[in-house]
């Protein structure tokens, strides 16, 4: 079932050094570890593939995306079994994530066939215009070249080998070199087999997709600094993403780094909603915060609400809701260790009290909830840092003005949420202009742990939520990250791209 090797230009390639995955249970599997030489081979093959794939028709690329989806579905049982073994995620979650992954591929196929994403523009010639004539001008979006994609630890399918970044780049006409995540190399191996089968069935250049597994930091550095790579897609931690961003910026030819780095996704519970349905809101928050052991980049880590009796009822309901949440395995031992340290750090912070305290050890996580005042939160920036896992912080405010201060102080977020009733409209109107400067997505009366793959979705935000506030890593708009506008002046039809003819 597993090759245990890298896929480079249609060939399964081994190496002298190996590593093992870290399954929740069962025997480990061994994989070849990547090297700089593997990176060179993959990038050179991608550049060679771009000479044909970058100029292929939208119909060809759409058929390729649909074939990848079919090949993944054909291996669905194996992917689910391996994913559950490596990550500890339940089968239902993995099946849902596979559905999202293949649905995304098929949506992108439909989207590029329609052609609207090309933003085609035309200015006819004005030979008699005074004082100067105007030439004929045409503009269209064109693919940028080979793209590097880093697999994500928390989404072994939707944000990894054949996930959103890969699907967007291929849809745009850009070959892809994936640096697989060491948390789930077996899952990545099977998905890469599906893509390889699709490449062969569609008769494409084999360099259109390569995947390199494992390897030390030098391998990741080599990927982002390889002169043939023209952009990088990444989903992961702030520290890791910032390091790669800096490497991209320091290249002789700087390239765009599209990093989605997570956030605390604050939820503002407004007064009337709190009074009318505080217990219901608390239970909804508990479900969202603890879903998947809190390992979502849109995990709602902070709740802001007015201090007083209604806040006391909310707190009591939250305690009740979280008491029903059991221990869940985290994706890796390293992630679990970081979560335990984050909990300990929050527990020791000045002005913070525990609301829900549980016991967890090893790779397991249980929920923890703490509380602090707005004044303390505003004076201690560390309280606004993400703890990856089911940790929540309730911030109580004394007034609407203080809630506004919190909104103004926020760093960039993927999401900001308002929980409100109709009578809270005035308070909501005061907050929305503040929050839209802070986040890529604003929600009302929902929780952000659910990112629809659609034309309108924005999954990104001001730094540090992401490194490019004008982009999204989810939805059809994500394809535009790997395109650039080109203007053609007075070119005869024989020389124009097919998309302009």
């Amino acid at each position: 079932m597993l090759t245990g090797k890298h896929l480079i230009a249609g060939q399964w390639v081994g190496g002298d050094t190996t590593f093992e995955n870290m399954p929740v249970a069962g025997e480990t599997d061994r994989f070849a570890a990547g090297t700089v030489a593997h990176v060179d081979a993959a990038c050179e093959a991608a550049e060679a593939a771009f000479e044909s794939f970058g100029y292929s028709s939208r119909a060809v690329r759409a058929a390729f995306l649909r074939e990848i989806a079919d090949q993944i579905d054909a291996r669905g049982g194996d992917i689910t079994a391996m994913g559950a073994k490596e990550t500890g995620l339940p089968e239902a979650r993995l099946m849902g994530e596979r559905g999202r992954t293949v649905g995304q591929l098929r949506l992108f196929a439909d989207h590029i066939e329609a052609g609207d994403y090309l933003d085609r523009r035309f200015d006819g010639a004005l030979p008699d215009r005074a004082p100067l004539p105007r030439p004929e001008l045409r503009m269209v979006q064109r693919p940028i070249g080979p793209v590097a994609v880093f697999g994500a630890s928390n989404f072994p399918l939707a944000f990894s080998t054949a996930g959103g970044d890969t699907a967007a780049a291929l849809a745009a006409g850009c070959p892809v070199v994936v640096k697989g995540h060491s948390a789930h190399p077996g899952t990545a191996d099977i998905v890469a087999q599906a893509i390889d089968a699709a490449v062969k069935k569609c008769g494409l250049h084999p360099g259109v997709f390569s995947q390199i597994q494992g390897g030390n930091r030098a391998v990741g550095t080599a990927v982002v600094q390889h002169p043939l790579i023209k952009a990088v897609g990444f989903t992961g931690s702030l520290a890791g993403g910032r390091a790669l961003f800096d490497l991209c910026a320091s290249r002789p030819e700087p390239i765009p780094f599209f990093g989605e780095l997570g956030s605390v996704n604050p939820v503002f519970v407004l007064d009337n909603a709190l009074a009318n349905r505080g217990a219901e809101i608390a239970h909804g928050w508990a479900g969202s915060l603890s879903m998947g052991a809190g390992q979502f980049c849109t995990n709602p880590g902070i709740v802001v609400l007015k201090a007083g009796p209604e806040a006391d009822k909310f707190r009591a309901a939250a305690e009740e809701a979280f008491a029903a949440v059991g221990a869940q395995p985290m994706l890796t031992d390293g992630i679990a260790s970081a979560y335990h340290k984050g909990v300990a750090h929050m527990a020791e912070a000045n002005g913070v009290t525990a609301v829900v305290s549980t016991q967890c050890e090893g790779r397991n996580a249980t929920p923890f909830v703490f509380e602090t005042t707005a004044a303390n939160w505003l004076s201690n920036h560390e309280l606004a840092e993400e703890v990856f896992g089911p940790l929540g912080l309730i911030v109580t405010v004394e007034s609407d003005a203080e809630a506004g201060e919190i909104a103004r102080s926020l760093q960039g977020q993927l999401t900001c949420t308002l929980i409100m009733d109709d009578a809270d409209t005035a308070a909501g109107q005061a907050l929305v202009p503040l929050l839209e400067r802070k986040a890529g997505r604003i929600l009302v009366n929902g929780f952000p742990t659910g990112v629809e793959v659609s034309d309108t979705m924005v999954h990104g935000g001001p730094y540090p939520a992401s490194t490019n506030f004008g982009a999204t890593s989810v939805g059809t708009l994500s394809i535009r990250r790997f395109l650039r506008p080109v203007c053609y002046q007075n070119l005869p039809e024989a020389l124009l791209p097919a998309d302009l003819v």
Side-chain angles (χ1 to χ4, degrees):
M1 184 174 69
L2 296 177
T3 70
K5 298 179 179 181
H6 317 290
L7 174 61
I8 300 177
Q11 301 296 316
W12 294 96
V13 180
D16 296 331
T17 305
T18 61
F19 71 101
E20 294 180 341
N21 57 4
M22 300 175 287
V24 173
E27 297 182 358
T28 60
D29 303 292
R30 188 168 291 278
F31 302 87
T35 66
V36 173
H38 291 132
V39 173
D40 286 338
C43 293
E44 288 171 5
E47 177 65 20
F50 185 63
E51 294 181 6
S52 57
F53 190 66
Y55 298 89
S56 61
S57 70
R58 286 175 282 133
V60 165
R61 298 199 303 278
F64 179 39
L65 294 173
R66 294 188 181 109
E67 185 61 32
I68 294 173
D70 291 347
Q71 294 289 342
I72 289 173
D73 273 342
R75 295 162 174 78
D78 291 339
I79 290 170
T80 298
M82 181 57 67
K85 171 182 172 178
E86 290 186 316
T87 67
L89 295 172
E91 289 189 3
R93 152 71 194 274
L94 287 163
M95 291 173 67
E97 190 180 334
R98 176 165 56 86
R100 172 195 172 113
T101 303
V102 298
Q104 184 168 244
L105 288 159
R106 291 168 178 141
L107 173 65
F108 285 10
D110 293 343
H111 184 73
I112 63 172
E113 278 185 332
D116 294 343
Y117 77 103
L118 293 167
D119 192 18
R120 289 172 283 207
R121 304 186 185 196
F122 173 73
D123 289 316
L126 298 175
D128 299 323
R129 189 183 66 175
L132 294 173
R134 184 179 75 186
E136 179 186 273
L137 300 169
R138 298 174 186 264
M139 188 273 282
V140 70
Q141 301 289 331
R142 298 295 297 148
I144 60 175
V147 170
V149 171
F150 283 73
S153 63
N154 59 334
F155 281 92
L157 301 175
F159 281 86
S160 291
T161 302
D165 289 341
T166 297
L170 294 176
C174 299
V176 173
V177 176
V178 169
K179 172 66 172 62
H181 199 287
S182 58
H184 43 75
T187 310
D189 187 309
I190 301 171
V191 176
Q193 292 178 45
I195 299 176
D196 183 44
V199 172
K200 290 178 168 60
K201 186 168 182 178
C202 293
L204 300 177
H205 188 292
V208 74
F209 177 85
S210 294
Q211 177 170 266
I212 300 163
Q213 300 267 39
N216 56 26
R217 287 187 179 182
V219 176
T221 298
V223 171
V224 301
Q225 292 199 313
H226 198 284
L228 296 177
I229 293 295
K230 299 304 179 185
V232 177
F234 173 88
T235 298
S237 69
L238 174 59
R242 183 54 196 251
L244 294 174
F245 174 85
D246 290 344
L247 287 172
C248 287
S250 67
R251 288 170 37 135
E253 177 201 2
I255 58 173
F257 177 81
F258 299 104
E260 189 269 280
L261 310 180
S263 61
V264 294
N265 305 293
V267 176
F268 291 78
V269 183
L270 304 188
D271 294 353
N272 290 282
L274 181 63
N276 294 334
R277 49 194 175 96
E280 174 190 340
I281 296 165
H283 279 260
W285 179 50
S288 182
L289 185 73
S290 59
M291 182 189 301
Q295 298 170 114
F296 291 93
C297 47
T298 53
N299 202 34
I302 292 179
V303 166
V304 181
L305 44 75
K306 191 76 63 68
E310 301 302 336
D312 296 338
K313 295 176 184 177
F314 178 94
R315 185 187 308 108
E319 290 183 58
E320 177 186 25
F322 283 110
V325 178
Q328 301 177 73
M330 301 198 83
L331 293 159
T332 68
D333 292 334
I335 290 174
S337 177
Y339 174 66
H340 299 156
K341 290 178 181 177
V343 168
H345 183 72
M346 183 68 74
E348 296 169 358
N350 291 330
V352 174
T353 58
V355 174
V356 175
S357 294
T358 54
Q359 297 290 327
C360 61
E361 59 184 13
R363 191 161 167 174
N364 287 327
T366 51
F368 287 80
V369 178
F370 299 89
E371 184 174 346
T372 192
T373 64
N376 189 55
W377 192 87
L378 288 166
S379 65
N380 186 351
H381 296 299
E382 289 187 357
L383 298 180
E385 295 178 0
E386 180 185 23
V387 176
F388 194 62
L391 183 148
L393 178 64
I394 298 172
V395 181
T396 57
V397 301
E398 298 297 329
S399 65
D400 290 347
E402 201 167 43
E405 289 183 46
I406 289 180
R408 287 186 180 90
S409 72
L410 291 170
Q411 291 187 302
Q413 304 291 325
L414 294 171
T415 71
C416 288
T417 299
L418 296 176
I419 305 294
M420 58 181 287
D421 286 352
D422 288 344
D424 295 310
T425 297
Q429 288 173 330
L431 283 171
V432 166
L434 304 176
L435 299 181
E436 71 175 13
R437 297 186 64 188
K438 304 294 183 175
R441 177 164 57 115
I442 300 173
L443 300 80
V444 169
N445 291 337
F447 291 97
T449 41
V451 184
E452 184 72 21
V453 182
S454 67
D455 291 331
T456 53
M457 178 52 61
V458 174
H459 190 61
Y463 185 85
S466 63
T467 56
N468 190 312
F469 63 81
T472 175
S473 61
V474 176
T476 55
L477 186 60
S478 68
I479 298 170
R480 289 288 295 268
R481 296 175 298 168
F482 307 119
L483 298 165
R484 66 181 182 88
V486 179
C487 177
Y488 301 88
Q489 181 172 323
N490 284 341
L491 267 68
E493 282 194 6
L495 300 184
L496 288 171
D499 285 325
L500 271 178
V501 177

